[in-house]
């Protein structure tokens, strides 16, 4: 996992590219490289060395003919198998997945994307045609941001790099209004900053002669419709377990130490258990978990049950409320956009701990709820995007009416015949997964660690998504097939425990230990250039109500804090 950056057009790019790379050096401290094609293009790369640690695999990477140059962020997990397929077509000089990806593109062009099993965003410069080809993985695990100006095109792994490249830092009012009105973090191509866009997950772009085209290459809906129908529950179990184990096996491919993020929940417990029963030499693979010393939220009892069974070394990372103000500033800077609150801060400390111990790769259980319908609102048959609350977590009244006119409620696509499948589709491509992946990418990379998500292996997601409803829900249990598969490997009070929606005492801390921190940030909003966006009376009223006990959800309070931090 690394950082990529580039400028294409005409001009002198050295100082701008250097500034872009310096701003995201945390993504790849092992090596920083640049490539310049006279006045046409400049590509840069921050390397975090994970596979083939030799200097020969540094980037920007050139093919053997010298025509193509690639900058690549991510991992191609099936690169060993792909390399065997290409052995008669390409003279490989390294053992890297980067060279395999470039060789695959040279042979198959854009159709190479469907052969990749991995997480990736990359850009390839064709020196002969003076064109850029760039692509992003199926679920957008790896970021790709871009700006198209009048005569130039910029791209990077983080928004701050594009700002350092010369694009004005101006908030996108429409996206911010949508955030306050309905908790949206933007549509797949949007960001919270004007003139900076995302390449959506499962899309590629081509830039030539100042013309930009964007094309969807991954058709999830079509893949689901063509997925083989499963005849029996036993057959489904066997196939799903095989896919689970293979997805984990592929994500252990690394030339650096690998560890686990572990909560007391079903998904990370399944990840740890299946890795231990299927992989060799697991006894020294370390696990990491966070806690807050609040027994109402901490999952340590369940974590310790898992560890007692498999004996992986456990690292417990404590988050105290006193750390939150300074840590919030650091994480806000790294995120560039709003993030998920105190759980994200705690998560960042997990990666810091791993990095300090020399562990460069952590595996995580993200992605299971969306494929197997694990959230409570799936069972309740409503359109919520936040679980565990009955009252709306949004406070539209804190915005001025002249600002709200920019608000348009999103109508997400509904390509499937059932409401459940359409909710799952929404969460995979528009809400839950995109925002969680962005939160987690930034907090892992701020400590130069790579996060891998085995449960977002596209084969697993597609198979799990199209399973019959009775394989997902059974006797008031969600994710039933997963619980059934791992019940023999973990204790039943873990495998059949209900999902716990809250992991930190954010609600309590914001109204008590962090009360002064919240009030400072609310006052900063009132004195900011964006004070006119807000109805100050309503904002104060909501905060006072919260302090007095209207705190089933703390999301609206965190929104204000996060806005203040990002506008600082």
């Amino acid at each position: 996992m690394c950082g990529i950056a580039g400028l294409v057009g005409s001009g002198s790019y050295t100082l701008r590219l250097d500034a872009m790379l310096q701003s995201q050096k945390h993504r790849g401290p092992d090596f920083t490289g640049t490539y310049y094609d006279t006045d046409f293009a400049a590509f840069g790369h921050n390397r975090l060395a994970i596979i083939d640690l030799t200097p020969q695999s540094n980037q920007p990477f050139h093919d053997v003919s010298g025509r193509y140059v690639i900058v690549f962020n991510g991992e191609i997990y099936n690169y060993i198998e792909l390399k065997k397929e290409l052995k008669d077509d390409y003279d490989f000089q390294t053992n890297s997945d980067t060279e395999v990806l470039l060789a695959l593109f040279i042979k198959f062009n854009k159709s190479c994307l469907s052969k990749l099993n991995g997480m990736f965003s990359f850009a390839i410069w064709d020196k002969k045609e003076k064109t850029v080809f760039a692509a992003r993985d199926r679920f957008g695990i790896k970021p790709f941001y871009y700006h198209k100006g009048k005569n130039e095109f910029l791209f990077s792994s983080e928004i701050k790099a594009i700002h350092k490249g010369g694009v004005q830092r101006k908030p996108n009012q429409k996206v911010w209004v949508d955030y306050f009105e309905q908790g949206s973090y933007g549509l797949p191509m949007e960001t919270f900053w004007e003139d900076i866009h995302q390449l959506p997950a499962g899309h590629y772009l081509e830039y030539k002669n100042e013309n930009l085209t964007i094309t969807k290459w991954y058709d999830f809906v079509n893949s689901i419709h063509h997925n083989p129908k499963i005849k029996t529950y036993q057959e489904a179990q066997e196939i799903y377990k095989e896919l689970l184990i293979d997805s984990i096996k592929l994500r252990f491919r690394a030339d650096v130490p690998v560890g686990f993020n572990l909560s007391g929940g079903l998904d990370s417990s399944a990840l740890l258990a299946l890795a231990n029963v299927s992989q060799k030499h697991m006894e020294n693979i370390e696990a990491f978990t966070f806690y807050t010393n609040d027994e109402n939220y901490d999952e340590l009892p369940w974590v310790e049950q898992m560890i007692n069974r498999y004996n992986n070394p456990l690292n417990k990372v404590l988050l105290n409320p006193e750390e939150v103000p300074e840590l919030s500033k650091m994480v806000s800077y790294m995120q560039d956009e709003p993030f998920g609150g105190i759980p994200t801060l705690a998560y960042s400390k997990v990666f810091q701990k791993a990095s300090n111990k020399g562990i460069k790769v952590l595996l995580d259980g993200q992605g299971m709820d969306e494929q197997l319908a694990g959230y409570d609102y799936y069972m309740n048959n409503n359109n919520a995007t936040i679980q565990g609350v009955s009252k709306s977590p949004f406070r539209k009244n804190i915005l001025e009416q002249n600002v709200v006119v920019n608000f348009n409620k999103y109508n997400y696509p509904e390509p499937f015949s059932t409401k459940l499948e359409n909710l799952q589709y929404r969460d995979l491509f528009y809400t839950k997964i995109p925002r969680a992946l962005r939160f987690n990418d930034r907090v892992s990379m701020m400590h130069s660690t790579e996060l891998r998500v085995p449960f977002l292996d596209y084969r697993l997601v597609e198979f799990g998504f199209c399973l019959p409803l009775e394989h997902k829900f059974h006797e008031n249990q969600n994710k039933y097939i997963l619980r059934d598969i791992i019940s023999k490997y973990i204790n039943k009070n873990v495998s059949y425990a209900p999902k716990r929606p809250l992991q930190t005492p954010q609600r309590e801390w914001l109204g008590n230990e962090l009360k002064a921190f919240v009030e400072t940030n609310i006052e900063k909003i009132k004195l900011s250039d964006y004070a006119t966006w807000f109805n100050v009376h309503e904002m104060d009223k909501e905060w006072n109500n919260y302090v007095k006990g209207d705190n089933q959800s703390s999301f609206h309070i965190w929104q204000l804090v996060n806005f203040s931090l990002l506008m600082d």
Side-chain angles (χ1 to χ4, degrees), residues 2-14:
C2 307
I4 63 174
L7 305 97
V8 181
S10 59
S12 177
Y13 291 138
T14 304

Side-chain angles (χ1 to χ4, degrees), residues 300-311:
L300 275 179
W302 293 276
V303 170
E304 288 169 343
Q305 283 185 35
M306 287 296 300
I307 291 300
N308 289 338
R309 181 154 186 167
Y310 291 107
N311 296 314

Side-chain angles (χ1 to χ4, degrees), residues 240-264:
Y240 198 58
K241 182 180 177 182
E242 183 179 326
L243 287 172
L244 282 165
I245 289 173
D246 191 58
S247 69
I248 293 169
K249 175 184 175 183
L250 286 176
R251 282 152 187 83
F252 265 90
R253 288 180 170 174
D255 296 326
V256 295
V258 177
F260 286 97
N261 287 337
L262 187 61
S263 72

